[in-house]
Coordinates of all heavy atoms in Angstrom, one line a residue:
L53 N 82.8 52.0 71.3 CA 81.7 53.0 71.4 C 82.3 54.3 71.8 O 83.5 54.4 72.0 CB 80.7 52.6 72.6 CG 80.0 51.2 72.4 CD1 79.3 50.9 73.7 CD2 79.0 51.3 71.3
S54 N 81.5 55.3 71.8 CA 81.9 56.7 72.3 C 82.0 56.7 73.8 O 81.1 56.2 74.5 CB 81.0 57.7 71.7 OG 81.0 58.9 72.5
W55 N 83.0 57.4 74.3 CA 83.0 57.6 75.8 C 81.8 58.4 76.3 O 81.3 58.1 77.4 CB 84.3 58.2 76.2 CG 84.3 58.6 77.7 CD1 84.4 59.9 78.2 CD2 84.2 57.7 78.8 NE1 84.3 59.8 79.6 CE2 84.1 58.5 80.0 CE3 84.1 56.3 78.9 CZ2 84.0 57.9 81.3 CZ3 83.9 55.8 80.2 CH2 83.9 56.6 81.3
L56 N 81.3 59.3 75.4 CA 80.2 60.1 75.8 C 79.0 59.2 76.1 O 78.2 59.4 77.0 CB 79.8 61.1 74.7 CG 78.8 62.1 75.1 CD1 79.2 63.0 76.3 CD2 78.6 63.1 73.9
T57 N 78.8 58.1 75.3 CA 77.8 57.1 75.5 C 77.9 56.5 76.9 O 76.9 56.4 77.6 CB 77.8 56.0 74.4 OG1 77.6 56.6 73.1 CG2 76.8 55.0 74.7
I58 N 79.1 56.1 77.3 CA 79.3 55.5 78.6 C 79.1 56.5 79.7 O 78.5 56.3 80.7 CB 80.7 54.9 78.7 CG1 80.9 53.9 77.5 CG2 80.9 54.2 80.0 CD1 79.9 52.7 77.5
L59 N 79.6 57.7 79.5 CA 79.5 58.8 80.5 C 78.1 59.1 80.8 O 77.7 59.2 82.0 CB 80.2 60.1 80.0 CG 80.3 61.2 80.9 CD1 81.1 60.9 82.2 CD2 81.0 62.4 80.2
R60 N 77.2 59.1 79.8 CA 75.8 59.4 80.1 C 75.1 58.2 80.7 O 74.0 58.4 81.2 CB 75.2 59.8 78.7 CG 75.6 61.2 78.3 CD 75.1 61.5 76.9 NE 75.4 62.9 76.6 CZ 75.3 63.5 75.4 NH1 74.9 62.7 74.3 NH2 75.6 64.7 75.2
K61 N 75.7 57.1 80.7 CA 75.1 55.9 81.3 C 75.8 55.5 82.7 O 75.5 54.6 83.3 CB 75.2 54.7 80.4 CG 74.3 54.8 79.1 CD 74.5 53.5 78.3 CE 73.7 53.5 77.0 NZ 72.3 53.2 77.3
R62 N 76.7 56.4 83.1 CA 77.6 56.0 84.2 C 76.8 55.8 85.5 O 77.1 54.8 86.2 CB 78.7 57.1 84.4 CG 79.7 56.7 85.5 CD 80.9 57.6 85.5 NE 80.6 59.0 85.7 CZ 81.5 59.9 85.8 NH1 82.8 59.6 85.8 NH2 81.2 61.2 86.0
E63 N 75.8 56.6 85.8 CA 75.0 56.4 87.0 C 74.3 55.1 86.9 O 74.1 54.4 87.9 CB 74.1 57.6 87.2 CG 74.8 58.8 87.7 CD 75.7 58.6 88.9 OE1 75.3 57.9 89.8 OE2 76.8 59.2 88.9
N64 N 73.8 54.7 85.7 CA 73.1 53.4 85.6 C 74.1 52.3 85.8 O 73.7 51.3 86.4 CB 72.5 53.3 84.2 CG 71.4 54.3 83.9 OD1 70.8 54.8 84.8 ND2 71.3 54.7 82.6
F65 N 75.3 52.4 85.3 CA 76.3 51.4 85.5 C 76.6 51.2 87.0 O 76.7 50.1 87.5 CB 77.6 51.7 84.8 CG 77.7 51.3 83.3 CD1 77.5 52.2 82.3 CD2 77.9 49.9 83.0 CE1 77.6 51.7 81.0 CE2 78.0 49.5 81.7 CZ 77.8 50.4 80.7
R66 N 76.7 52.4 87.7 CA 77.0 52.3 89.1 C 75.9 51.6 89.9 O 76.2 50.8 90.8 CB 77.2 53.8 89.6 CG 78.5 54.4 89.2 CD 78.6 55.9 89.6 NE 79.9 56.4 89.3 CZ 80.2 57.7 89.3 NH1 79.3 58.6 89.5 NH2 81.5 58.1 89.0
A67 N 74.7 51.9 89.5 CA 73.6 51.2 90.2 C 73.6 49.7 89.9 O 73.4 48.9 90.8 CB 72.3 51.8 89.8
A68 N 73.9 49.4 88.6 CA 73.8 48.0 88.2 C 75.0 47.1 88.8 O 74.8 45.9 89.1 CB 73.9 47.9 86.7
F69 N 76.1 47.8 89.0 CA 77.3 47.1 89.5 C 77.7 47.4 90.9 O 78.9 47.5 91.3 CB 78.5 47.3 88.6 CG 78.4 46.6 87.3 CD1 77.9 47.2 86.1 CD2 78.8 45.2 87.2 CE1 77.8 46.5 84.9 CE2 78.8 44.5 86.0 CZ 78.3 45.1 84.8
S70 N 76.7 47.7 91.8 CA 76.9 47.9 93.2 C 78.0 48.9 93.5 O 78.9 48.7 94.4 CB 77.3 46.5 93.9 OG 76.3 45.6 93.7
G71 N 77.9 50.0 92.8 CA 78.9 51.1 93.0 C 80.3 50.7 92.6 O 81.3 51.4 93.1
F72 N 80.5 49.7 91.8 CA 81.8 49.1 91.5 C 82.7 48.8 92.7 O 83.9 49.1 92.7 CB 82.5 50.1 90.5 CG 81.9 50.0 89.1 CD1 81.0 51.0 88.7 CD2 82.3 49.1 88.2 CE1 80.4 51.0 87.5 CE2 81.7 49.0 87.0 CZ 80.8 50.0 86.6
D73 N 82.0 48.3 93.7 CA 82.7 47.7 94.9 C 83.2 46.4 94.4 O 82.4 45.5 94.2 CB 81.8 47.6 96.1 CG 82.4 47.0 97.3 OD1 83.5 46.4 97.2 OD2 81.9 47.2 98.4
P74 N 84.5 46.2 94.3 CA 85.0 44.9 93.8 C 84.6 43.7 94.7 O 84.3 42.6 94.1 CB 86.6 45.0 93.9 CG 86.8 46.5 93.8 CD 85.6 47.1 94.5
T75 N 84.4 43.9 96.0 CA 84.0 42.8 96.8 C 82.6 42.3 96.4 O 82.3 41.1 96.4 CB 84.0 43.3 98.3 OG1 85.3 43.7 98.6 CG2 83.6 42.1 99.2
Q76 N 81.7 43.3 96.1 CA 80.4 43.0 95.7 C 80.3 42.4 94.3 O 79.7 41.4 94.1 CB 79.5 44.2 95.8 CG 79.3 44.8 97.2 CD 78.6 43.9 98.1 OE1 77.6 43.2 97.7 NE2 79.1 43.8 99.4
V77 N 81.0 43.0 93.4 CA 81.0 42.6 92.0 C 81.6 41.2 91.9 O 81.1 40.4 91.1 CB 81.8 43.6 91.1 CG1 81.9 43.1 89.7 CG2 81.1 45.0 91.1
A78 N 82.6 40.9 92.6 CA 83.2 39.5 92.5 C 82.3 38.4 92.9 O 82.4 37.3 92.5 CB 84.5 39.5 93.4
M79 N 81.2 38.7 93.7 CA 80.2 37.8 94.1 C 79.1 37.6 93.2 O 78.2 36.8 93.4 CB 79.7 38.1 95.5 CG 80.8 38.0 96.6 SD 80.2 38.1 98.3 CE 79.5 39.7 98.3
F80 N 79.0 38.4 92.1 CA 77.9 38.3 91.1 C 77.9 36.9 90.5 O 79.0 36.3 90.3 CB 78.1 39.3 90.0 CG 77.7 40.7 90.3 CD1 77.4 41.1 91.7 CD2 77.5 41.7 89.3 CE1 77.0 42.4 92.0 CE2 77.1 43.0 89.6 CZ 76.9 43.3 91.0
D81 N 76.7 36.4 90.3 CA 76.6 35.0 89.7 C 75.7 35.1 88.4 O 75.5 36.1 87.9 CB 75.9 34.1 90.8 CG 74.6 34.6 91.3 OD1 73.9 35.4 90.6 OD2 74.1 34.1 92.3
E82 N 75.3 33.9 88.0 CA 74.6 33.8 86.7 C 73.3 34.6 86.7 O 72.9 35.2 85.7 CB 74.3 32.4 86.3 CG 75.5 31.6 85.8 CD 76.2 32.3 84.6 OE1 75.4 32.6 83.7 OE2 77.4 32.5 84.6
S83 N 72.6 34.7 87.9 CA 71.4 35.5 88.0 C 71.7 37.0 87.8 O 70.9 37.7 87.2 CB 70.7 35.3 89.3 OG 71.5 35.8 90.4
D84 N 72.9 37.4 88.2 CA 73.3 38.8 88.0 C 73.6 39.0 86.5 O 73.3 40.1 86.0 CB 74.5 39.1 88.9 CG 74.2 39.2 90.4 OD1 73.4 40.1 90.7 OD2 74.7 38.4 91.1

Side-chain angles (χ1 to χ4, degrees):
L53 302 170
S54 156
W55 171 245
L56 189 59
T57 298
I58 303 301
L59 184 61
R60 288 173 172 167
K61 293 177 178 287
R62 185 165 62 173
E63 290 305 322
N64 296 334
F65 274 105
R66 286 171 173 168
F69 284 96
S70 301
F72 287 96
D73 178 344
T75 303
Q76 296 296 319
V77 173
M79 293 191 296
F80 281 12
D81 57 20
E82 286 302 312
S83 67
D84 290 295

